[in-house]
Amino acid sequence: MAEPTHAIRLHVNGVAYDLDVPARRLLSDALRHDLELTGTHVGCEHGVCGACTVLLDGEPVRACLTLAVSVDGEEITTVEGLESADGELGPVQQAFKDCHGLQCGFCTPGFLTTITAGLRDNPDPTRDEAREMIAGNLCRCTGYQNIVAAVLRAAELKADTGGSEIAKHAGVSRDMPTASVADGDRGGTP
Amino acid sequence: MKPAPFEYVRPRTADEAVAALSEAADAKLLAGGQSLIPLLSMRLAAPSTLIDLNRVEELAYVRVDDGGVRIGALARHAQVERDDAAAARQPLLRQALGLVAHPTIRNRGTVVGSIAHADPAAELPAVLAVLDGTVTTRSASGTREIAAGDFFVGPLECVVRRDELVTEIRVPALGPTSGTAIREVSRRHGDYALVGVAAVVDADDDGGLRSVRAGYFSVADTPVVLDLTDAVDPGPSWDRAAEQAMAALDPIGDIHASADYRRHLIGVLTRRALAAAHSDGRRSDG
Amino acid sequence: MTTKMFGDPIPRVEDERLLRGHGQYLDDLGHDALEVAMVRSPHAHARILDIDVDAALDVDGLVAIYTWDDLDGPLAEPLPLLIPHPTLTHPRMPYALAKDEVNHVGEAVAMVVATDRYVAEDAASRISVTYDPLPPVVGIEAARAATDLVHADVPGNVAARMRQSNGDADAAIEAAPHRLRLDFEIERSASTPLEGRGVLARWDTESARLRIWSSTQTTTGVRAAIAARLELDLGQVDVIAPDVGGGFGVKIVHPWPEEVLVAMAARTLGRAVKFTEDRREHFVSAAHERGQLHHVEVGFDDEGRILGLSVRFWHDNGAFIPYGLIVPIVTSTQLLGPYKPGAYTVEFESLYTNTVLVTPYRGAGRVHAAFVMERTIDAIAAELGVDRTAVRENNFIQPDEMPYDHGLLFQDGKPLRYDSGDFPASLEKLKKLVGWEEFATFRDQARAEGRRVGIGLACYVEGTGVGPYEGGHVHVETSGKVKVATGLTSQGQGHKTVFAQIVADELGVPIDDVEVVTGDTRRFPYAVGTFASRAAVMSGSAIALAARRARAKALRIAADALEASEDDLEIVDGVVRVRGAPDTQIALGTVAVLSNPLRYAFDEASKAATQFAVGDPSKPPVAEGDEPGLEGRDYYSPNQSTFANGMHAAVVETDPDTAEIRILRYCVVHDCGPMINPRIVEGQIHGGVGQGVGGALYERMAYDEYGQLLNASFMDFLMPYVTEMPEQIEIDHLETPSPLNPLGIKGLGEAGIIPSSAVFASAIEDAEGIPIRSMPISPSELFELRRQHGTDGD
């Protein structure tokens, strides 16, 4: 006898998806396997590593600690939704590239969503605030130095574009000016 | 690590939730899920029914009045932490919430959930205890109010019955001459405390201390509140209070810290928390 | 004019797709695959009496259940001993599924295949295994005491005993003016990459071919192992490493039971089958790198020069030993660091315990080695009352003594012979960077304020670029695009970027035209793997050599086409042209067309080539000994490793009340020769330092006496967040090139972690005045040490 499923609708990166999932289906698995949006990664399934962090109505949550059925009808932003309106890398993504903020890339989506929301709430963080912003995400490769630099760099890039909303689908306004990326010697010291 | 199957019920009101609870033989309530879902995923808990409270909007409140702060079952840690009126009425809430895990966890986890989960290593149960707060439950047979002192009975164990829904917790307002502080030592930023102390100090105008209370977490099977009023010497000096706390409490050792180290921290943190609560009270100046 | 790519800190080519969430890690693949859950032993040591699967059989979505009884032929045999050694007299390996006995919590007992992981776990939870528990052996003391045995036929729990020596250390110690006896304990940790292990297998019935994706550090190793187990021809098996979310050593182990079993199931069931482990499984069924106990006797003179050094140690290798003695052999040899003791003896016993496998983790035994040596040097300095840097200076191998042969054999069986390095210069840089001479003043000021601060330093030498070989293939296509392949793998090191930088320089092509593939046996089938800081040296060199072959061929053909002399030609931006007469030119893509005498013209490139005439019409179109196509293939196979080195310094502050330890500064001076991409080099150092902080101050494997791993989750296994890291990692470089490879480079992947436990111990000891002989150290442990030494002020 097959497990009963529930019909739910998830709005992910601005697209509405209708799914039939068992009640126990974790949001992380629904995104990855039911919607094949594999950018959200699973590192621990007990909420500690942060690799699965997505934005739920704009706020970072652990997708591995959320049931898909529990967020029926809500807005979810994943790493796949952080690009700029013109398809270029969003400021946080670009900052990671500029600053060598990723190595294996497995933890990175969780940082990108977390920082996207963090900079929306605090567009001009100090170095200490930048560290605090990422204090709940584990990375095994980078030692975090370049990730902190990427937070500050992303703030710079955002400021360059007039401080407008930095992701298409971060749960807020859709304005997206073309990012004018600063030249190479602008920053991102490791 | 995937949960075992369960029936799923999603009530829209508190009454519906209570009804579902009384009908289900072996149900668990899901609010924030930050503690429950790992247990489900590790199959350490396998309820036959999960009652999801996340649609019960009527319980997502933070209500501040002269008497104190009332927090509904669905109010997220982050929501309470951001609430300026609540922070003004009872500052220990915001002070403690800043130490609870990480902001991402606080976006989803609930204050009531943390208290009902009754983890002796958590901050909020100790806060409720030291403030002498109350817990309100509702079941098919009615509501009851439980004093914090009666609420916690063991590790992850409280007196809430199988058919009861905790609908809110209430903490009293900070007195005009009181100050609060919370201090903890943890291994990593955001981890559970090795030892923690939440303190409320009430001073009178002459600098005498009317009341000195300390709520300890990670020291026993439940939070422990000590009245240290008579253990404070002029100065004020907190040394005797620290020694009294160290003598009164019997922490255990585990892989993160020895019992002796925890006892030592009880002394250190008692001094630090009481001193800070005392300064806090004097700064706010009534 | 093309800018030189070597040395350029360009952004990585890997990043764009990863940042967009378009990475393809193992679990992102195979959406159609059946999924696996394993039944694992809950006991550290037990006999299996019965496996009852009845209750699992009616789980909807179950496809198959396997136990050892279902395995045939080579599948039923123990997994291979990858690295035998003559002293490894009692090697014991696990079976792919436990046969009769389990030897650690987490050992695989049964495999469930189902429609998805949820269902597979449902079925697995209903399988009932009856065990007869046996006494578990946990920890080095218990293993040495051997009151109980892990393997009944391994006396004393001793897998191996090994001794190496250079000179008569005992005599030298006996005769020395000063002597010390020291005991050290070091518990290491585990790689714990953010992505666990995973394997996906597809069996194509029509072509009788097996295709495997595995989150592995060695696709060629997995291929060979699985082909052998499944009795397939090597040519029937392809193995591909997809994007891999970190390895750090643990993913070099192969074949995992799951790799073999998933491949078997895919063939048997005719369906794609996938296994992705969860975090708890990684803790109890992957591998750790763990404890050693050391006893050191050292004799030295008034200047602290080591006249004789004798080290005996006991190494915990866990329940089985598939990776052989690499870790303790590395410890034995790398312990010497940058020093030249008058005489040296090292002896170890590798012991079984009923715990998870012990295999290399970043550093691979060097962390233990650096800890022992550097603490010994510090102890010598303390004994003599002299500066810790002075004692090191007195013991250094001098630059003019290179190459320096220690008279021992390294982990590759080759002589331990250092080829390069300037240790005095590195130390000079480090002292300047951290402000060594000025620190005493700072310490005194801090003490006056009631603060406890301390400074520590530690040096190491790292044998990198270990053989036997790697290969490279460079292929210029008719479009002008350059496709590069090497067989080893990538787990975030930026190989695709640095190898492209090498090719761009060697061939003279724009870097955007170069595309690199690693870890795919279809593209390059001869390789060893990524470990031991070898990829840049091995594959970098091989790719450089391959590119040079392609370049030589291109110039030969171009010279013919342009009717010029090869010596007058240069390649700039992908165009071959006459130096000084750049209009006389031919694009590399066109050269590629000309290199392949075809009957048919397929595209614009082939049509464009017809303006050139090459070859001698009186000779065969493909000359004898030549091949069609503009390709180069070559291998790099060195005679020995090339030795990188580094020195770290740390300033810590300890809380007088809580004994918490805070890192105020962390400085690294590092020599890996010339750097291909300095930004990637620094990233590797940062990451290594991060793991070093974890291993020194936070991480351990907490086994209880029953062999239960008490902290098998990220909640209790304390990997550092950013908040546990120093604010900054200050790095200075020295570049002494290696004489051993075409690029003059040395490896650096493990550099950041090797001296970390040593440097923190040194700094904490300096702050506290208490000898620190055991790592890791937590505030609770520091508090206990303070009490023992009467310095807790309570």
Side-chain angles (χ1 to χ4, degrees):
Chain A
M1 185 187 49
E3 199 173 344
T5 59
H6 300 259
I8 62 170
R9 172 171 287 188
L10 298 177
H11 301 269
V12 186
N13 304 327
V15 177
Y17 295 92
D18 289 315
L19 307 169
D20 279 302
V21 291
R24 59 172 169 162
R25 177 75 101 232
L26 301 170
L27 178 61
S28 42
D29 290 328
L31 291 169
R32 291 178 48 72
H33 297 293
D34 297 300
L35 299 183
E36 294 191 21
L37 291 169
T38 57
T40 301
H41 299 147
V42 172
C44 73
E45 283 181 322
H46 42 273
V48 177
C49 77
C52 70
T53 306
V54 298
L55 302 182
L56 180 66
D57 297 324
E59 297 302 329
V61 298
R62 305 285 199 233
C64 75
L65 298 187
T66 311
L67 299 178
V69 290
S70 220
V71 294
D72 179 17
E74 306 205 35
E75 298 249 352
I76 295 160
T77 307
T78 69
V79 59
E80 290 98 334
L82 297 182
E83 295 165 8
S84 301
D86 59 2
E88 294 297 307
L89 294 180
V92 184
Q93 294 163 315
Q94 184 63 47
F96 266 69
K97 185 169 176 189
D98 292 348
C99 296
H100 186 33
L102 67 154
Q103 291 182 26
C104 82
F106 197 76
C107 71
T108 307
F111 278 96
L112 295 175
T113 51
T114 302
I115 295 166
T116 296
L119 287 176
R120 181 201 57 215
D121 296 339
N122 181 0
D124 189 20
T126 62
R127 180 167 276 271
D128 277 349
E129 287 167 344
R131 283 168 70 90
E132 195 60 41
M133 199 185 287
I134 61 161
N137 290 60
L138 285 175
C139 173
R140 198 58 164 164
C141 291
T142 67
Y144 304 102
Q145 309 294 304
N146 289 349
I147 297 179
V148 174
V151 174
L152 298 171
R153 172 84 178 136
E156 266 176 20
L157 291 175
K158 262 191 72 178
D160 282 352
T161 62
S164 209
E165 299 319 324
I166 64 174
K168 252 192 330 198
H169 305 293
V172 279
S173 124
R174 311 286 143 128
D175 295 347
M176 203 57 260
T178 311
S180 57
V181 178
D183 53 46
D185 59 351
R186 193 69 196 294
T189 9
Chain B
M1 257 163 15
K2 313 295 182 190
F6 44 77
E7 299 280 322
Y8 176 73
V9 179
R10 196 166 66 193
R12 305 223 136 234
T13 67
D15 285 340
E16 280 179 27
V18 167
L21 254 184
S22 49
E23 278 158 36
D26 156 39
K28 278 216 175 290
L29 292 158
L30 173 70
Q34 306 299 281
S35 300
L36 178 61
I37 293 187
L39 294 177
L40 296 179
S41 292
M42 293 187 218
R43 302 198 180 207
L44 296 171
S48 50
T49 305
L50 193 71
I51 302 170
D52 187 342
L53 296 174
N54 284 288
R55 286 287 179 278
V56 184
E57 294 299 323
E58 69 183 79
L59 293 178
Y61 60 83
V62 179
R63 288 179 191 140
V64 181
D65 58 39
D66 290 342
V69 181
R70 289 159 55 215
I71 299 172
L74 209 52
R76 313 284 176 187
H77 293 308
Q79 179 188 346
V80 179
E81 193 182 356
R82 275 196 294 264
D83 193 308
D84 290 331
R89 182 67 70 240
Q90 180 44 269
L92 188 56
L93 284 173
R94 178 176 280 171
Q95 290 165 345
L97 284 164
L99 296 172
V100 172
H102 297 283
T104 301
I105 302 292
R106 302 204 288 270
N107 283 338
R108 196 78 182 148
T110 62
V111 168
V112 167
S114 175
I115 286 168
H117 188 60
D119 192 331
E123 290 84 0
L124 294 177
V127 164
L128 187 81
V130 78
L131 293 176
D132 242 331
T134 55
V135 179
T136 305
T137 67
R138 194 189 307 182
S139 70
S141 32
T143 68
R144 58 176 182 138
E145 277 210 1
I146 307 161
D150 301 325
F151 186 76
F152 304 102
V153 295
L156 305 184
E157 229 191 296
C158 63
V159 297
V160 176
R161 291 191 309 256
R162 189 200 54 75
D163 64 335
E164 281 182 303
L165 167 69
V166 177
T167 51
E168 79 171 26
I169 63 110
R170 188 186 157 282
V171 292
L174 184 70
T177 52
S178 291
T180 60
I182 181 168
R183 292 289 181 274
E184 68 178 47
V185 169
S186 61
R187 288 290 276 129
R188 296 172 303 184
H189 184 70
D191 280 349
Y192 281 110
L194 298 178
V195 168
V197 188
V200 185
V201 173
D202 187 17
D204 61 35
D205 298 328
D206 312 319
L209 297 179
R210 262 193 290 264
S211 163
V212 176
R213 283 165 60 83
Y216 294 84
F217 46 104
S218 274
V219 301
D221 287 347
T222 64
V224 179
V225 178
L226 296 179
D227 188 324
L228 299 168
T229 316
D230 296 332
V232 180
D233 292 320
S237 162
W238 314 104
D239 288 348
R240 204 159 45 86
E243 276 151 38
Q244 189 165 309
M246 287 168 74
L249 298 167
D250 194 20
I252 57 153
D254 63 18
I255 62 173
H256 298 305
S258 69
D260 287 341
Y261 176 64
R262 281 198 160 93
R263 182 173 279 110
H264 174 78
L265 285 182
I266 287 168
V268 173
L269 294 179
T270 299
R271 281 188 191 84
R272 291 184 181 180
L274 293 183
H278 182 242
S279 305
D280 180 61
R282 297 184 61 190
R283 191 186 59 239
S284 53
D285 224 26
Chain C
M1 189 60 172
T2 328
T3 348
K4 196 159 155 53
M5 286 271 96
F6 193 112
D8 196 339
I10 61 168
R12 300 190 330 162
V13 310
E14 291 89 337
D15 289 354
E16 180 104 7
R17 46 187 286 282
L18 296 178
L19 289 167
R20 289 180 188 274
H22 297 164
Q24 298 247 273
Y25 302 86
L26 198 289
D27 194 60
D28 302 340
L29 307 171
H31 289 285
D32 61 322
L34 298 173
E35 294 198 60
V36 165
M38 305 296 292
V39 175
R40 301 189 180 280
S41 171
H43 297 288
H45 198 193
R47 257 185 277 280
I48 301 171
L49 299 178
D50 182 58
I51 303 176
D52 182 354
V53 306
D54 286 350
L57 294 178
D58 57 7
V59 169
D60 188 59
L62 173 70
V63 173
I65 299 175
Y66 301 92
T67 66
W68 184 83
D69 288 329
D70 300 304
L71 304 179
D72 284 322
L75 285 166
E77 288 161 24
L79 294 177
L81 169 62
L82 295 172
I83 310 177
H85 193 276
T87 63
L88 180 48
T89 52
H90 293 77
R92 294 293 175 272
M93 284 341 114
Y95 291 90
L97 291 169
K99 169 184 188 281
D100 299 334
E101 188 175 309
V102 288
N103 276 291
H104 66 86
V105 170
E107 188 173 348
V109 174
M111 175 170 80
V112 173
V113 183
T115 49
D116 73 23
R117 175 79 184 205
Y118 289 73
V119 170
E121 287 191 13
D122 292 343
S125 69
R126 294 189 194 193
I127 292 174
S128 173
V129 184
T130 311
Y131 296 97
D132 176 20
L134 297 168
V137 179
V138 183
I140 291 176
E141 308 289 9
R144 285 171 73 183
T147 319
D148 298 301
L149 295 179
V150 175
H151 302 289
D153 56 353
V154 178
N157 293 313
V158 178
R161 263 187 204 92
M162 182 171 167
R163 185 175 195 278
Q164 288 207 69
S165 64
N166 188 20
D168 188 342
D170 290 339
I173 294 166
E174 187 62 41
H178 307 275
R179 257 175 304 281
L180 282 174
R181 308 182 73 190
L182 304 161
D183 292 291
F184 300 103
E185 183 177 345
I186 179 155
E187 160 97 10
R188 276 284 279 122
S189 181
S191 305
T192 49
L194 263 282
E195 184 202 19
R197 300 170 301 143
V199 57
L200 165 68
R202 287 187 191 280
W203 172 255
D204 182 337
T205 319
E206 283 159 0
S207 57
R209 295 187 61 80
L210 184 64
R211 180 163 300 169
I212 295 169
W213 289 259
S214 183
S215 193
T216 180
Q217 292 171 226
T218 174
T219 47
T220 46
V222 171
R223 181 188 193 216
I226 291 184
R229 296 279 136 173
L230 266 56
E231 298 179 285
L232 294 169
D233 296 337
L234 210 55
Q236 287 175 277
V237 181
D238 297 321
V239 179
I240 303 140
D243 291 315
V244 173
F248 311 111
V250 68
K251 293 177 180 176
I252 195 62
V253 178
H254 65 282
W256 295 106
E258 297 85 355
E259 286 174 327
V260 167
L261 296 168
V262 163
M264 172 209 72
R267 183 173 63 173
T268 309
L269 300 171
R271 293 279 309 272
V273 179
K274 178 167 70 168
F275 167 70
T276 307
E277 72 177 350
D278 63 34
R279 183 50 54 186
R280 181 179 156 75
E281 286 183 286
H282 188 80
F283 275 106
V284 298
S285 65
H288 304 161
E289 193 201 88
R290 270 194 346 280
Q292 288 181 358
L293 278 184
H294 282 248
H295 178 75
V296 171
E297 306 205 1
V298 63
F300 49 101
D301 65 17
D302 296 334
E303 272 71 57
R305 258 185 297 262
I306 296 174
L307 304 171
L309 177 65
S310 169
V311 178
R312 286 177 62 208
F313 70 96
W314 295 267
H315 172 83
D316 178 347
N317 62 244
F320 303 106
I321 194 162
Y323 216 77
L325 299 172
I326 295 301
V327 173
I329 291 176
V330 168
T331 302
S332 306
T333 48
Q334 300 269 245
L335 197 143
L336 292 165
Y339 312 115
K340 44 181 183 181
Y344 176 57
T345 299
V346 62
E347 206 176 309
F348 69 83
E349 275 185 0
S350 190
L351 299 159
Y352 288 106
T353 58
N354 284 112
T355 61
V356 171
L357 304 184
V358 170
T359 63
Y361 160 37
R362 201 173 198 170
R366 289 179 192 82
V367 175
H368 310 73
F371 184 73
V372 171
M373 188 55 157
E374 294 301 294
R375 301 278 56 228
T376 297
I377 298 250
D378 280 356
I380 290 171
E383 179 77 4
L384 296 173
V386 301
D387 183 282
R388 289 169 281 169
T389 61
V391 175
R392 285 170 169 83
E393 277 153 11
N394 293 341
N395 278 286
F396 276 156
I397 296 163
Q398 295 300 315
D400 59 12
E401 290 179 284
M402 294 292 183
Y404 188 87
D405 193 326
H406 283 285
L408 302 175
L409 289 180
F410 190 42
Q411 57 140 327
D412 52 3
K414 304 277 187 181
L416 185 69
R417 188 189 301 128
Y418 295 172
D419 54 282
S420 56
D422 186 342
F423 308 128
S426 286
L427 184 59
E428 214 28 66
K429 271 191 184 258
L430 183 69
K431 288 173 73 171
K432 194 165 291 159
L433 182 60
V434 77
W436 183 265
E437 307 293 355
E438 298 76 40
F439 186 77
T441 316
F442 172 64
R443 192 201 291 112
D444 292 339
Q445 276 168 11
R447 199 169 282 154
E449 294 165 19
R451 296 169 63 194
R452 296 187 197 189
V453 300
I455 190 169
L457 85 156
C459 311
Y460 70 91
V461 166
E462 185 194 354
T464 70
V466 71
Y469 72 88
E470 284 301 332
H473 178 235
V474 174
H475 179 203
V476 181
E477 293 190 339
T478 57
S479 61
K481 299 282 189 206
V482 184
K483 307 292 184 183
V484 179
T486 185
L488 55 59
T489 56
S490 308
Q491 303 86 40
Q493 302 92 332
H495 292 155
K496 295 185 182 184
T497 304
V498 301
F499 296 158
Q501 289 177 259
I502 291 171
V503 172
D505 276 356
E506 294 286 344
L507 266 189
V509 296
I511 195 160
D512 290 341
D513 286 347
V514 182
E515 187 190 285
V516 177
V517 168
T518 64
D520 185 336
T521 61
R522 299 170 301 183
R523 289 291 302 274
F524 205 97
Y526 290 105
V528 183
T530 299
F531 53 93
S533 307
R534 70 193 295 274
V537 172
M538 303 301 294
S539 284
S541 297
I543 286 169
L545 294 172
R548 291 175 193 180
R549 284 184 185 269
R551 179 192 177 88
K553 184 167 186 178
L555 291 181
R556 178 169 54 75
I557 295 170
D560 191 356
L562 297 175
E563 294 175 352
S565 160
E566 280 181 48
D567 297 332
D568 294 334
L569 294 178
E570 60 182 7
I571 311 181
V572 177
D573 285 335
V575 176
V576 187
R577 59 194 203 191
V578 174
R579 213 175 282 110
D583 290 337
T584 309
Q585 60 169 236
I586 179 172
L588 265 185
T590 311
V591 176
V593 175
L594 295 174
S595 72
N596 182 14
L598 284 176
R599 183 176 167 79
Y600 311 107
F602 290 108
D603 52 20
E604 290 308 310
S606 354
K607 283 204 321 211
T610 55
Q611 66 178 284
F612 297 102
V614 291
D616 184 339
S618 71
K619 297 215 172 88
V622 179
E624 189 162 328
D626 198 5
E627 292 173 1
L630 186 51
E631 302 181 41
R633 183 185 301 268
D634 212 337
Y635 294 86
Y636 176 65
S637 181
N639 225 359
Q640 61 159 87
S641 303
T642 179
F643 287 84
N645 70 85
M647 306 185 180
H648 294 197
V651 176
V652 303
E653 176 160 7
T654 56
D655 187 306
D657 296 321
T658 65
E660 287 167 289
I661 299 156
R662 201 156 76 89
I663 307 166
L664 298 183
R665 289 186 67 199
Y666 199 94
C667 298
V668 173
V669 168
H670 166 261
D671 178 1
C672 67
M675 295 179 279
I676 304 169
N677 187 319
R679 180 161 287 184
I680 288 180
V681 167
E682 296 205 340
Q684 288 293 304
I685 293 174
H686 292 164
V689 170
Q691 289 179 304
V693 168
L697 302 176
Y698 294 96
E699 299 164 11
R700 62 153 43 91
M701 289 302 171
Y703 274 99
D704 70 10
E705 72 259 45
Y706 304 107
Q708 296 295 326
L709 183 61
L710 298 175
N711 61 342
S713 81
F714 282 164
M715 290 188 267
D716 291 313
F717 176 79
L718 305 175
M719 276 163 56
Y721 292 99
V722 66
T723 39
E724 286 64 61
M725 291 292 295
E727 292 268 339
Q728 237 201 320
I729 297 169
E730 303 163 66
I731 302 175
D732 200 357
H733 300 283
L734 194 70
E735 292 186 18
T736 66
S738 168
L740 300 180
N741 62 68
L743 301 171
I745 60 179
K746 298 184 273 206
L748 78 129
E750 294 159 278
I753 198 175
I754 293 169
S756 57
S757 292
V759 78
F760 284 117
S762 181
I764 294 167
E765 180 166 330
D766 188 52
E768 295 279 323
I770 299 171
I772 308 288
R773 302 267 161 83
S774 171
M775 291 296 267
I777 187 163
S778 66
S780 178
E781 283 153 338
L782 180 57
F783 168 77
E784 296 297 339
L785 282 173
R786 283 175 175 176
R787 285 207 313 179
Q788 282 168 34
H789 290 261
T791 61
D792 55 345
D794 251 356

